[in-house]
């Protein structure tokens, strides 16, 4: 279980440092597989019930096959291959990732004094994924990377829930998974529309709606 | 109990069916029938013949009664209104996306998503289990995003994308909150509901409860439009079709607020957590009031002005609950009043938009002459939304000030009044510029926005807001007082 958590954390670091969008999508798909395996390990061998199996299969099916397929399609459709000039560079992003990892470790360390936490390594990984998801959402320009950031954030929340041992019934877990899936699916469809309407996937050039006066013309020039 | 399930499941079934109906007329009639059946069942359910439901999954208490009736009422109004609205916006078949065979008829998607949206809101309101409620609130985001993108323009796409990303991230954080809330008890709680957790109030871990509350407040607060997480709101509300804006502002924001109220219900049973929660609610409430006050002044777009006014009123709700005592009951009354008034204002803005084809304040002049009915209602709506007597919003806003003064929080009361004044001035100039003045050179035909079905829902809602201000019937009073007692407050 600690092995999986470590792999999850490493995949996040790689994600922060990768400029190629296809690699990023693959990395998130890989996270989906790891995440699917996690409930099996939490249950412990010999206690794997139908519930854990259903969750595993749905998780892997949705997060590592269906969604990556959709996002890859969106990627090829748009012709974009790389994340261009993120607000924070890739090297700096990895450094920020290391800092975020340290912060996650610190938080979990503090939490341990108030409650028994069964698997602190997994919890650290969960927090770290939440932080890196937010980091990707804030610092990247492409709508596609933002979608990936949201997926990583959601994976992090899922991991956190698992490591805190807060078990709801399977119905609730499946409902949550379904919501997340439909959400990303909608984002994927919107990626197609954004690409067609704007001819680019750069969210920072979304500036038609704003109350803070932005000089649209000069902005456009700067980005051309 | 069956009625409660039916309220959630029926709109899903009919919503999916309407995707496959090709006849425009049949689809619209179905939407109307669903709206009225939903309203009828909600009234039946809330009438109390079933008593207090308190299941593991679904339940019905004073809080859910209040919000259910508001939501159902608003949906019926919006459904009636959208009959005419859809006529004015002929559907189009968008280009299909390669490989994804989506039904491309925009009106079919509109009808389907409206019904799914209703179902998701009903689920968010009726669920007692925290996990289930999360599912409901997230589902409302998913169902309403296509509605915001109805016009298929660049601007609406930008608004829909912002809405989707900001709300989804917020709600993901709220899910963290749900997990943390589960950590407050070491023993396995059978019912993960507000009532179930309150039973163990003596044993709950206060620290975890506080952390959970922060995540709930930030997460659902983003969806509710509390500053500084409100950025999506003006865009989404101004770009969405008017009947959808009315639903978003009048019903959806309440649902998100209910998410916060549910954990607040647990907090009030733990003294340490309650003080903490109250402080946070007051701070976020005042901040929202301040932000809306600033952005409403000189706002060039009247639909955005209405959106910022929603931020303001959500701030008032948070502030009222945070002050405690009878301010909580006042906040509940205010939620009802705001929903009625804001829904009618958004519907009226649709009428104006249909005539002038512009959302700019400067393009609209002499509204009272061009559109006598809508113009008069628009002006009445202004008085209602700014809390002028005799509308119900005045009573609730006044009750909140009174509690603030009685409890000795002078600073809060002064800031609250200051921001209300700012909003009042901002809205006054906008409404006066629109209603009076000389007719512009451009000839406009006012009758396009004055048909019976376009005017009826706003008339009904505004009249209701007026009557509630003059006299509070017993069943409304008991519901509001019951809701306040659940939240540890006092009767109005």
């Amino acid at each position: 279980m600690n092995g999986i958590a470590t792999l999850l954390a490493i995949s996040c670091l790689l994600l922060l440092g990768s400029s190629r969008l296809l690699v990023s999508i693959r990395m998130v798909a890989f996270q989906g597989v790891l995440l699917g395996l996690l409930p099996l390990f939490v249950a412990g061998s010999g206690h794997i019930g139908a519930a854990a199996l259903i969750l595993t299969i749905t998780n892997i099916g949705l997060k590592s096959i269906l969604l990556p397929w959709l996002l890859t399609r969106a990627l090829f459709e748009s012709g974009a291959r790389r994340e261009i000039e993120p607000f924070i560079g890739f090297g700096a992003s990895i450094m920020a990732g290391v800092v975020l990892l340290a912060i996650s470790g610190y938080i979990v360390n503090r939490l341990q004094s108030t409650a028994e936490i069964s698997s602190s390594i997994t919890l650290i990984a969960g927090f770290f994924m939440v932080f890196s998801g937010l980091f990707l959402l804030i610092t990247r320009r492409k709508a596609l990377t933002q979608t990936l950031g949201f997926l990583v954030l959601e994976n992090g929340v899922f991991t956190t829930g698992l490591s805190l041992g807060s078990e709801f019934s399977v119905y609730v877990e499946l409902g949550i998974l379904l919501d997340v899936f439909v959400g990303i699916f909608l984002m994927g469809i919107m990626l197609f529309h954004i690409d067609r309407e704007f001819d680019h996937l750069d969210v920072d050039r979304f500036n038609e709606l704003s109350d803070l006066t932005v000089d649209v013309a000069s902005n456009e020039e700067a980005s051309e | 109990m069956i009625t409660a399930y039916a309220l959630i499941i029926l709109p899903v079934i009919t919503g999916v069916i309407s995707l496959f109906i090709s006849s425009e007329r049949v689809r619209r009639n179905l939407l109307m029938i669903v709206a009225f059946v939903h309203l009828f069942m909600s009234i039946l359910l809330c009438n109390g013949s079933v008593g207090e439901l308190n299941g593991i999954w679904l339940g019905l208490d004073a809080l859910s009664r209040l919000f259910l009736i508001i939501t159902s009422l608003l949906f019926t109004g919006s459904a009636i209104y959208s009959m005419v609205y859809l006529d004015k916006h002929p559907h189009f078949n968008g280009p299909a996306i390669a490989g994804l065979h989506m039904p491309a008829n925009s009106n079919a998607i509109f009808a389907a998503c409206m019904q799914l949206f209703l179902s998701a809101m009903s689920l968010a309101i009726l669920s007692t289990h925290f996990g289930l409620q999360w599912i409901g609130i997230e589902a409302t985001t998913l169902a309403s995003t296509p509605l915001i993108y109805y016009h298929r323009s660049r601007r609406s796409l930008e608004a829909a994308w912002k809405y989707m990303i900001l709300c989804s991230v917020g709600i993901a954080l709220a899910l963290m909150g749900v997990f943390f809330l589960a950590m407050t008890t070491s023993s396995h709680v059978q019912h993960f509901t507000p009532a179930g957790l309150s039973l163990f109030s003596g044993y709950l871990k206060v620290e975890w409860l506080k952390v959970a509350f922060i995540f709930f407040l930030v997460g659902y607060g983003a969806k509710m439009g509390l500053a500084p997480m409100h950025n999506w709101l003006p865009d989404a509300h101004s770009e969405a079709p008017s009947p959808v804006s009315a639903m978003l502002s009048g019903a959806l924001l309440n649902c998100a607020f209910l998410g916060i109220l549910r954990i607040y219900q647990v907090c009030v049973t733990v003294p340490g957590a309650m003080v903490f929660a109250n402080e946070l609610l007051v701070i976020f409430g005042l901040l929202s009031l301040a932000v809306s006050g600033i952005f409403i002044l000189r706002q060039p777009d009247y639909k955005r002005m209405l959106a910022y006014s929603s931020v303001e009123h959500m701030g008032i709700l948070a502030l009222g609950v945070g002050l405690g005592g009878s301010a909580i009951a006042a906040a509940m009354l205010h939620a009802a009043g705001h929903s009625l008034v804001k829904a009618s204002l958004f519907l009226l803005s649709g009428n104006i938009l249909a005539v002038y084809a512009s959302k700019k304040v400067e393009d609209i002049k002499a509204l009272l002459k061009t559109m006598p009915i809508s113009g008069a209602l628009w002006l009445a709506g202004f008085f209602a939304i700014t809390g002028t007597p005799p509308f119900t919003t005045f009573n609730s806003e006044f009750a909140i000030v009174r509690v603030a003064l009685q409890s000795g929080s002078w600073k809060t009361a002064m800031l609250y009044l200051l921001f209300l004044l700012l909003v009042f001035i901002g809205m006054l100039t906008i409404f006066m510029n629109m209603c009076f003045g000389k007719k512009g050179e451009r000839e406009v035909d006012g009758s396009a926005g004055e048909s019976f079905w376009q005017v009826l829902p706003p008339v009904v809602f505004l009249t209701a807001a007026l009557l509630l201000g003059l006299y509070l019937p017993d069943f409304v009073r008991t519901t509001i007082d019951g809701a306040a007692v659940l939240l540890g407050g006092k009767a109005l």
Side-chain angles (χ1 to χ4, degrees), chain A residues 69-136:
Chain A
W69 171 80
L70 179 74
L71 293 179
T72 315
R73 284 208 62 123
L75 180 67
F76 285 134
E77 197 95 336
S78 74
R81 289 289 182 277
R82 283 170 184 278
E83 174 72 43
I84 309 156
E85 298 168 19
F87 296 114
I88 295 179
F90 298 106
S93 293
I94 294 186
M95 289 310 291
V98 173
V99 174
L100 289 176
L101 189 57
I103 293 175
S104 315
Y106 174 73
I107 293 176
V108 173
N109 200 20
R110 287 286 302 273
L111 283 179
Q112 256 168 342
S113 57
T114 58
E116 277 298 307
I117 291 163
S118 47
S119 55
S120 48
I121 303 279
T122 329
L123 190 59
I124 293 176
F127 277 136
F128 176 52
M129 286 161 81
V130 170
F131 283 135
S132 21
L134 285 174
F135 187 82
L136 284 177

Side-chain angles (χ1 to χ4, degrees), chain B residues 67 224 252-261 317-318 321 332:
Chain B
F67 287 114
M224 179 189 166
L252 178 64
L253 300 186
N254 283 343
C255 289
F257 185 44
L258 188 61
I260 298 174
L261 291 181
L317 294 188
V321 173
M332 294 302 114

Side-chain angles (χ1 to χ4, degrees), chain B residues 68-125:
Chain B
L68 183 65
I69 288 292
I70 298 176
T71 303
S72 199
L73 202 63
L74 254 55
F75 184 80
T76 313
S78 299
I80 293 173
Y81 186 91
S82 50
M83 297 297 110
V84 187
Y85 190 87
L86 292 182
D87 271 339
K88 295 214 158 66
H89 297 84
H91 73 89
F92 48 85
N93 293 310
I97 299 157
L100 288 166
H101 297 286
M102 295 296 292
N105 182 329
S106 58
N107 280 3
I109 296 179
F110 179 85
C113 285
M114 278 291 269
Q115 289 166 66
L116 293 178
F117 189 32
L118 177 67
S119 161
M121 284 193 292
S122 309
L123 177 62
I125 292 170

Side-chain angles (χ1 to χ4, degrees), chain A residues 51-69:
Chain A
L53 268 180
I54 292 174
L55 272 182
T56 300
I57 294 168
T58 342
N59 229 327
I60 294 182
L62 295 183
K63 285 190 177 162
S64 51
I65 299 173
L66 220 57
L67 289 178
W69 171 80

